[in-house]
């Protein structure tokens, strides 16, 4: 039995030891739900790591977004380097789902771009679970409740190769193609194999650095080796090796024939329904599309959008839930729901959103009704799969408290002795000038700044303006893919730039000890982004720095602001008292460049075809219109200095661009 081996230079401190004891005792008692209320920077990840080590169960950790999932993956990977820590998020860099807009009679075809590296990591996660290891941690996004292939079908298609075993080479090659490996003797990449005489080499779909070399002598496996996929050098010899399918949706020929028969039967019934309703166009459309898919399935065992027939492929009853990542776990697995106040509502809402879109596709003849069963789990179905759950949040919602019978495990004291950041409320008038002064002060101390706005446009304009006055700034938004977001956050920590501006991406879970200031623009605009929980989470982004401060720019103090300030003051009082009793002097725990690079290693897989330019093309006019002439002239002077420096550095295109900006600004000066 594999055991979790926790590797760390630190021991539990502050509230961590008591929290670990309470959570482990609860799990051993059989408590189904527990809630860990841990303030930002209190080491919730380290606490959970200790709990996982003690109970030694396969663990699924669900996060509400890809950026946080990537950070958690890197942290758990560092705590458990000798165990299987895996990553499972949506593998789409870009995804446009299939849809039909009734009002404009517009059919939108499915379009997507798959991130090969994330696809590899997903397959690696399910492979570790299929192997039956108990020391598996899978860090996943909410996409883990979407349907993937049946675990039993996947396991049944594994090819086991044994040294000295009987195996016909031709049959072996056929078996590889049956589990969606592609023969490619020229370009040797993951999910491919090549055959040269009596030697067959395979790169598993979850691997890219190592390959399996199978050497035959007649119909016997003479030698098995793990080799370097690039150089072909033998790394080690092995006695046996499993080869896992290259895709999730795999099935044998007998099940495939039954699936085709079942699809044809459903198509017949559905066409009769549509024709009885005089929907002849829909019937013709459905028949044409489905017949084409059936021909593809018969010929090659696969078709584009085969997931829409997953109910037939799996042999499931109509209306039954799909197989998901959770079905790959054993029954006694442990579930950690990180930032549960956000993650749980997402899990609850996913089914209805998917159902609404697919309902139109079925009604208007683009898909069979069985496509509705290719879906995320309903919330009640999700709950039925649970064994034991720990909700983790700095601001748990009523749902988590109710499930835990109102009993929570508090983790208020930080091992570093750091207090919750002090909160200041300043007037909204002149907030940009005040913010710039605060930024310049912190830049001198080599500290970082987060600025959160209400709208994407406002964030763009503010970042544009700050860039033009010489502040190193980046803007993070929802259009940036998950791996690039991690890279942006890493660059912030490494000092590539000083200010990060965003809307709703600067809240939960981001570990940024270099950040000493969080500025909340328009904090008094009550709503989701300025609710008590949102303000509390946003303020927490600077709780890892001894100089941490939160500035709320507002004209009035709302109820959410007041509750946030009161709760922060309550926590600060407890933290100060603990520090005084134990003689602790708060200090920021900075990480070395190597540690930062290691903790964000998931970003290293992102390839760039060309160097990106993160500059801004124009000064943000919506911001400039609030400035007086003297302030505009200051900007012009600063731009002239930068223009001359660019020309001196022979960066003539940059200098010309600045010259054009200066000309625009001069026209705005009255």
């Amino acid at each position: 039995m594999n055991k979790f081996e926790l590797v760390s230079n630190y021991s539990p401190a502050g509230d961590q030891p008591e929290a670990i004891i309470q959570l482990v005792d609860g799990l051993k008692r059989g408590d189904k739900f527990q809630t860990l209320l841990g303030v930002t920077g209190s080491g919730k990840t380290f606490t959970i790591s200790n709990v996982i080590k003690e109970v030694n169960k396969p663990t699924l950790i669900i996060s509400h977004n890809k950026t946080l999932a990537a950070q958690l993956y890197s942290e758990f990977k560092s705590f458990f380097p000798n165990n299987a820590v895996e990553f499972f998020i949506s593998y789409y860099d870009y995804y446009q789902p299939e849809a039909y807009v009734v009002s404009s009679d517009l059919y939108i075809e499915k379009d997507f771009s798959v991130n090969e590296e994330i696809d590899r990591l997903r397959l690696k996660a399910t492979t570790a679970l299929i192997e039956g290891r108990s020391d598996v941690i899978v860090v996943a996004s909410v996409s883990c409740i979407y349907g993937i292939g049946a675990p039993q079908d996947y396991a049944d298609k594994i090819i086991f190769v044994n040294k000295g075993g009987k195996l016909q080479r031709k049959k072996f090659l056929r078996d590889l193609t049956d589990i969606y490996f592609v023969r490619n003797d020229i370009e040797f990449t993951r999910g491919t194999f090549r055959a040269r005489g009596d030697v067959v080499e395979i790169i598993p779909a979850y691997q890219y650095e190592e390959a399996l070399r199978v050497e035959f002598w007649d119909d016997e496996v003479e030698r098995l080796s793990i080799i370097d996929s690039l150089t072909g050098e033998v790394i080690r010899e092995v006695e046996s090796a499993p080869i896992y399918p290259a895709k999730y949706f795999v099935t044998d020929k007998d099940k495939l024939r039954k699936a085709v028969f079942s699809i044809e039967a459903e198509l017949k019934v559905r066409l009769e329904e549509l024709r009885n309703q005089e929907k002849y166009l829909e019937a013709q459309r459905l028949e044409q599309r489905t017949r084409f898919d059936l021909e593809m399935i018969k010929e090659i065992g696969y078709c584009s959008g085969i997931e829409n027939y997953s109910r037939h492929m799996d042999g499931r009853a109509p209306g039954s839930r799909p197989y998901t990542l959770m079905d790959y776990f054993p029954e006694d697995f442990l579930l950690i729901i990180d930032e549960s106040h956000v993650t749980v509502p997402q899990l609850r809402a996913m089914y209805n959103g998917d159902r609404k879109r697919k309902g139109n596709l079925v009604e208007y003849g683009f898909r069979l009704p069985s496509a509705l069963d290719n879906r995320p789990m309903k919330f009640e179905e999700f709950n039925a799969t649970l064994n034991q759950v720990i909700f983790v949040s700095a601001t748990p919602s009523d749902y988590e408290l109710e499930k835990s019978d109102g009993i929570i495990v508090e983790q208020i004291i930080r091992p570093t002795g750091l207090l919750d950041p002090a909160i200041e409320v300043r007037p909204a008038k002149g907030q940009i000038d005040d913010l710039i002064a605060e930024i310049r002060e912190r830049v001198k101390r080599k500290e970082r700044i987060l600025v959160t706005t209400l709208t994407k446009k406002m964030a763009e304009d503010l970042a544009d303006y700050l860039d033009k006055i010489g502040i190193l700034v980046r803007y993070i938004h929802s259009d940036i893919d998950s791996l690039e977001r991690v890279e942006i956050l890493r660059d912030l920590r490494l000092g590539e730039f000083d200010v990060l501006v965003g809307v709703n991406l600067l809240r939960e879970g981001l570990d940024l000890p270099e950040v000493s200031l969080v500025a909340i623009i328009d904090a008094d605009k009550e709503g989701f982004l300025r609710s008590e929980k949102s303000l509390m989470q946003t303020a927490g982004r600077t709780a890892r720095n001894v100089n941490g401060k939160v500035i709320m720019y507002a004209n009035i103090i709302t109820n959410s602001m007041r509750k946030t300030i009161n709760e922060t003051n309550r926590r600060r009082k407890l933290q100060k008292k603990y520090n005084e009793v134990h003689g602790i002097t708060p200090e920021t725990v900075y990480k070395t460049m190597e540690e930062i690079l290691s903790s964000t290693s998931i970003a290293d897989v992102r390839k760039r075809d060309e160097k990106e330019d993160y500059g801004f093309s124009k000064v943000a006019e919506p911001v400039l219109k609030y400035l007086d002439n003297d302030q505009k002239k200051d900007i012009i002077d600063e731009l002239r200095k930068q223009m001359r420096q660019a020309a001196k550095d022979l960066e003539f295109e940059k200098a010309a661009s600045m010259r054009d900006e200066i000309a625009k600004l001069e026209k705005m000066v009255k």
Side-chain angles (χ1 to χ4, degrees), residues 286-302:
L286 180 64
E287 184 171 22
Q288 183 181 37
R289 291 169 60 88
T290 309
R291 295 283 180 208
F292 178 80
D293 287 346
L294 285 169
E295 286 301 314
M296 291 294 290
I297 293 170
K298 288 176 184 176
E299 290 298 319
I300 64 174
Y302 204 77

PDB file of all heavy atoms in Angstrom, residues 286-302:
ATOM      1  N   LEU A 286     -31.766  15.973 -38.963  1.00  0.00           N
ATOM      2  CA  LEU A 286     -31.321  15.013 -37.963  1.00  0.00           C
ATOM      3  C   LEU A 286     -30.874  13.705 -38.612  1.00  0.00           C
ATOM      4  O   LEU A 286     -29.839  13.130 -38.241  1.00  0.00           O
ATOM      5  CB  LEU A 286     -32.454  14.736 -36.960  1.00  0.00           C
ATOM      6  CG  LEU A 286     -32.126  13.742 -35.837  1.00  0.00           C
ATOM      7  CD1 LEU A 286     -31.028  14.272 -34.945  1.00  0.00           C
ATOM      8  CD2 LEU A 286     -33.379  13.434 -35.019  1.00  0.00           C
ATOM      9  N   GLU A 287     -31.645  13.239 -39.587  1.00  0.00           N
ATOM     10  CA  GLU A 287     -31.306  11.978 -40.244  1.00  0.00           C
ATOM     11  C   GLU A 287     -29.964  12.083 -40.973  1.00  0.00           C
ATOM     12  O   GLU A 287     -29.120  11.193 -40.877  1.00  0.00           O
ATOM     13  CB  GLU A 287     -32.399  11.578 -41.229  1.00  0.00           C
ATOM     14  CG  GLU A 287     -32.129  10.227 -41.874  1.00  0.00           C
ATOM     15  CD  GLU A 287     -33.311   9.715 -42.679  1.00  0.00           C
ATOM     16  OE1 GLU A 287     -34.156  10.542 -43.083  1.00  0.00           O
ATOM     17  OE2 GLU A 287     -33.382   8.494 -42.897  1.00  0.00           O
ATOM     18  N   GLN A 288     -29.765  13.179 -41.688  1.00  0.00           N
ATOM     19  CA  GLN A 288     -28.520  13.363 -42.446  1.00  0.00           C
ATOM     20  C   GLN A 288     -27.305  13.382 -41.517  1.00  0.00           C
ATOM     21  O   GLN A 288     -26.303  12.705 -41.754  1.00  0.00           O
ATOM     22  CB  GLN A 288     -28.594  14.671 -43.238  1.00  0.00           C
ATOM     23  CG  GLN A 288     -27.374  14.928 -44.112  1.00  0.00           C
ATOM     24  CD  GLN A 288     -27.496  16.243 -44.859  1.00  0.00           C
ATOM     25  OE1 GLN A 288     -28.011  17.236 -44.331  1.00  0.00           O
ATOM     26  NE2 GLN A 288     -27.023  16.265 -46.085  1.00  0.00           N
ATOM     27  N   ARG A 289     -27.398  14.149 -40.433  1.00  0.00           N
ATOM     28  CA  ARG A 289     -26.271  14.281 -39.502  1.00  0.00           C
ATOM     29  C   ARG A 289     -25.977  12.963 -38.779  1.00  0.00           C
ATOM     30  O   ARG A 289     -24.822  12.546 -38.644  1.00  0.00           O
ATOM     31  CB  ARG A 289     -26.557  15.382 -38.479  1.00  0.00           C
ATOM     32  CG  ARG A 289     -26.567  16.790 -39.074  1.00  0.00           C
ATOM     33  CD  ARG A 289     -27.120  17.791 -38.061  1.00  0.00           C
ATOM     34  NE  ARG A 289     -26.301  17.814 -36.861  1.00  0.00           N
ATOM     35  CZ  ARG A 289     -25.229  18.585 -36.694  1.00  0.00           C
ATOM     36  NH1 ARG A 289     -24.835  19.390 -37.664  1.00  0.00           N
ATOM     37  NH2 ARG A 289     -24.535  18.560 -35.567  1.00  0.00           N
ATOM     38  N   THR A 290     -27.041  12.296 -38.309  1.00  0.00           N
ATOM     39  CA  THR A 290     -26.856  11.081 -37.524  1.00  0.00           C
ATOM     40  C   THR A 290     -26.348   9.936 -38.397  1.00  0.00           C
ATOM     41  O   THR A 290     -25.485   9.150 -37.965  1.00  0.00           O
ATOM     42  CB  THR A 290     -28.165  10.674 -36.825  1.00  0.00           C
ATOM     43  OG1 THR A 290     -28.690  11.795 -36.108  1.00  0.00           O
ATOM     44  CG2 THR A 290     -27.925   9.533 -35.845  1.00  0.00           C
ATOM     45  N   ARG A 291     -26.865   9.823 -39.632  1.00  0.00           N
ATOM     46  CA  ARG A 291     -26.387   8.771 -40.537  1.00  0.00           C
ATOM     47  C   ARG A 291     -24.896   8.937 -40.832  1.00  0.00           C
ATOM     48  O   ARG A 291     -24.158   7.954 -40.896  1.00  0.00           O
ATOM     49  CB  ARG A 291     -27.169   8.798 -41.848  1.00  0.00           C
ATOM     50  CG  ARG A 291     -28.640   8.468 -41.734  1.00  0.00           C
ATOM     51  CD  ARG A 291     -28.868   6.994 -41.580  1.00  0.00           C
ATOM     52  NE  ARG A 291     -30.296   6.691 -41.460  1.00  0.00           N
ATOM     53  CZ  ARG A 291     -30.787   5.646 -40.821  1.00  0.00           C
ATOM     54  NH1 ARG A 291     -29.956   4.785 -40.235  1.00  0.00           N
ATOM     55  NH2 ARG A 291     -32.078   5.429 -40.756  1.00  0.00           N
ATOM     56  N   PHE A 292     -24.472  10.160 -41.010  1.00  0.00           N
ATOM     57  CA  PHE A 292     -23.053  10.412 -41.264  1.00  0.00           C
ATOM     58  C   PHE A 292     -22.210   9.966 -40.068  1.00  0.00           C
ATOM     59  O   PHE A 292     -21.178   9.297 -40.236  1.00  0.00           O
ATOM     60  CB  PHE A 292     -22.830  11.901 -41.541  1.00  0.00           C
ATOM     61  CG  PHE A 292     -21.382  12.269 -41.757  1.00  0.00           C
ATOM     62  CD1 PHE A 292     -20.769  12.058 -42.984  1.00  0.00           C
ATOM     63  CD2 PHE A 292     -20.622  12.805 -40.723  1.00  0.00           C
ATOM     64  CE1 PHE A 292     -19.427  12.376 -43.179  1.00  0.00           C
ATOM     65  CE2 PHE A 292     -19.290  13.132 -40.899  1.00  0.00           C
ATOM     66  CZ  PHE A 292     -18.686  12.918 -42.136  1.00  0.00           C
ATOM     67  N   ASP A 293     -22.659  10.333 -38.863  1.00  0.00           N
ATOM     68  CA  ASP A 293     -21.927   9.929 -37.657  1.00  0.00           C
ATOM     69  C   ASP A 293     -21.878   8.410 -37.519  1.00  0.00           C
ATOM     70  O   ASP A 293     -20.839   7.842 -37.142  1.00  0.00           O
ATOM     71  CB  ASP A 293     -22.582  10.533 -36.407  1.00  0.00           C
ATOM     72  CG  ASP A 293     -22.331  12.028 -36.283  1.00  0.00           C
ATOM     73  OD1 ASP A 293     -21.451  12.542 -36.996  1.00  0.00           O
ATOM     74  OD2 ASP A 293     -23.013  12.677 -35.462  1.00  0.00           O
ATOM     75  N   LEU A 294     -22.983   7.737 -37.838  1.00  0.00           N
ATOM     76  CA  LEU A 294     -23.025   6.284 -37.731  1.00  0.00           C
ATOM     77  C   LEU A 294     -22.048   5.620 -38.693  1.00  0.00           C
ATOM     78  O   LEU A 294     -21.387   4.635 -38.335  1.00  0.00           O
ATOM     79  CB  LEU A 294     -24.455   5.775 -38.001  1.00  0.00           C
ATOM     80  CG  LEU A 294     -25.465   5.987 -36.865  1.00  0.00           C
ATOM     81  CD1 LEU A 294     -26.876   5.692 -37.339  1.00  0.00           C
ATOM     82  CD2 LEU A 294     -25.114   5.105 -35.662  1.00  0.00           C
ATOM     83  N   GLU A 295     -21.950   6.152 -39.901  1.00  0.00           N
ATOM     84  CA  GLU A 295     -20.990   5.604 -40.863  1.00  0.00           C
ATOM     85  C   GLU A 295     -19.558   5.754 -40.356  1.00  0.00           C
ATOM     86  O   GLU A 295     -18.738   4.846 -40.511  1.00  0.00           O
ATOM     87  CB  GLU A 295     -21.147   6.309 -42.224  1.00  0.00           C
ATOM     88  CG  GLU A 295     -22.394   5.894 -42.991  1.00  0.00           C
ATOM     89  CD  GLU A 295     -22.430   4.398 -43.274  1.00  0.00           C
ATOM     90  OE1 GLU A 295     -21.399   3.842 -43.710  1.00  0.00           O
ATOM     91  OE2 GLU A 295     -23.473   3.778 -43.001  1.00  0.00           O
ATOM     92  N   MET A 296     -19.256   6.899 -39.762  1.00  0.00           N
ATOM     93  CA  MET A 296     -17.913   7.122 -39.215  1.00  0.00           C
ATOM     94  C   MET A 296     -17.624   6.139 -38.075  1.00  0.00           C
ATOM     95  O   MET A 296     -16.530   5.566 -37.992  1.00  0.00           O
ATOM     96  CB  MET A 296     -17.785   8.557 -38.709  1.00  0.00           C
ATOM     97  CG  MET A 296     -17.791   9.621 -39.802  1.00  0.00           C
ATOM     98  SD  MET A 296     -16.349   9.530 -40.858  1.00  0.00           S
ATOM     99  CE  MET A 296     -15.062  10.067 -39.748  1.00  0.00           C
ATOM    100  N   ILE A 297     -18.614   5.934 -37.214  1.00  0.00           N
ATOM    101  CA  ILE A 297     -18.424   5.021 -36.083  1.00  0.00           C
ATOM    102  C   ILE A 297     -18.213   3.589 -36.575  1.00  0.00           C
ATOM    103  O   ILE A 297     -17.340   2.861 -36.081  1.00  0.00           O
ATOM    104  CB  ILE A 297     -19.626   5.099 -35.119  1.00  0.00           C
ATOM    105  CG1 ILE A 297     -19.672   6.466 -34.433  1.00  0.00           C
ATOM    106  CG2 ILE A 297     -19.552   3.995 -34.070  1.00  0.00           C
ATOM    107  CD1 ILE A 297     -20.942   6.724 -33.640  1.00  0.00           C
ATOM    108  N   LYS A 298     -18.974   3.185 -37.589  1.00  0.00           N
ATOM    109  CA  LYS A 298     -18.835   1.828 -38.130  1.00  0.00           C
ATOM    110  C   LYS A 298     -17.469   1.612 -38.776  1.00  0.00           C
ATOM    111  O   LYS A 298     -16.867   0.545 -38.658  1.00  0.00           O
ATOM    112  CB  LYS A 298     -19.930   1.571 -39.169  1.00  0.00           C
ATOM    113  CG  LYS A 298     -21.323   1.407 -38.586  1.00  0.00           C
ATOM    114  CD  LYS A 298     -22.354   1.266 -39.698  1.00  0.00           C
ATOM    115  CE  LYS A 298     -23.770   1.196 -39.148  1.00  0.00           C
ATOM    116  NZ  LYS A 298     -24.777   1.146 -40.248  1.00  0.00           N
ATOM    117  N   GLU A 299     -16.979   2.657 -39.457  1.00  0.00           N
ATOM    118  CA  GLU A 299     -15.727   2.519 -40.203  1.00  0.00           C
ATOM    119  C   GLU A 299     -14.495   2.631 -39.317  1.00  0.00           C
ATOM    120  O   GLU A 299     -13.555   1.841 -39.439  1.00  0.00           O
ATOM    121  CB  GLU A 299     -15.660   3.577 -41.316  1.00  0.00           C
ATOM    122  CG  GLU A 299     -16.634   3.346 -42.454  1.00  0.00           C
ATOM    123  CD  GLU A 299     -16.376   2.029 -43.173  1.00  0.00           C
ATOM    124  OE1 GLU A 299     -15.190   1.692 -43.396  1.00  0.00           O
ATOM    125  OE2 GLU A 299     -17.345   1.323 -43.492  1.00  0.00           O
ATOM    126  N   ILE A 300     -14.458   3.634 -38.451  1.00  0.00           N
ATOM    127  CA  ILE A 300     -13.233   3.882 -37.672  1.00  0.00           C
ATOM    128  C   ILE A 300     -13.448   3.829 -36.154  1.00  0.00           C
ATOM    129  O   ILE A 300     -12.515   4.031 -35.381  1.00  0.00           O
ATOM    130  CB  ILE A 300     -12.598   5.247 -38.044  1.00  0.00           C
ATOM    131  CG1 ILE A 300     -13.537   6.406 -37.684  1.00  0.00           C
ATOM    132  CG2 ILE A 300     -12.223   5.290 -39.513  1.00  0.00           C
ATOM    133  CD1 ILE A 300     -12.915   7.778 -37.889  1.00  0.00           C
ATOM    134  N   GLY A 301     -14.702   3.562 -35.742  1.00  0.00           N
ATOM    135  CA  GLY A 301     -14.975   3.436 -34.313  1.00  0.00           C
ATOM    136  C   GLY A 301     -15.039   4.761 -33.574  1.00  0.00           C
ATOM    137  O   GLY A 301     -15.056   4.792 -32.344  1.00  0.00           O
ATOM    138  N   TYR A 302     -15.082   5.854 -34.322  1.00  0.00           N
ATOM    139  CA  TYR A 302     -15.039   7.189 -33.707  1.00  0.00           C
ATOM    140  C   TYR A 302     -15.678   8.171 -34.667  1.00  0.00           C
ATOM    141  O   TYR A 302     -15.737   7.953 -35.874  1.00  0.00           O
ATOM    142  CB  TYR A 302     -13.574   7.585 -33.450  1.00  0.00           C
ATOM    143  CG  TYR A 302     -13.377   8.612 -32.368  1.00  0.00           C
ATOM    144  CD1 TYR A 302     -13.465   8.255 -31.030  1.00  0.00           C
ATOM    145  CD2 TYR A 302     -13.100   9.938 -32.678  1.00  0.00           C
ATOM    146  CE1 TYR A 302     -13.278   9.186 -30.016  1.00  0.00           C
ATOM    147  CE2 TYR A 302     -12.905  10.883 -31.673  1.00  0.00           C
ATOM    148  CZ  TYR A 302     -12.995  10.498 -30.348  1.00  0.00           C
ATOM    149  OH  TYR A 302     -12.808  11.442 -29.353  1.00  0.00           O
TER     150      TYR A 302
END
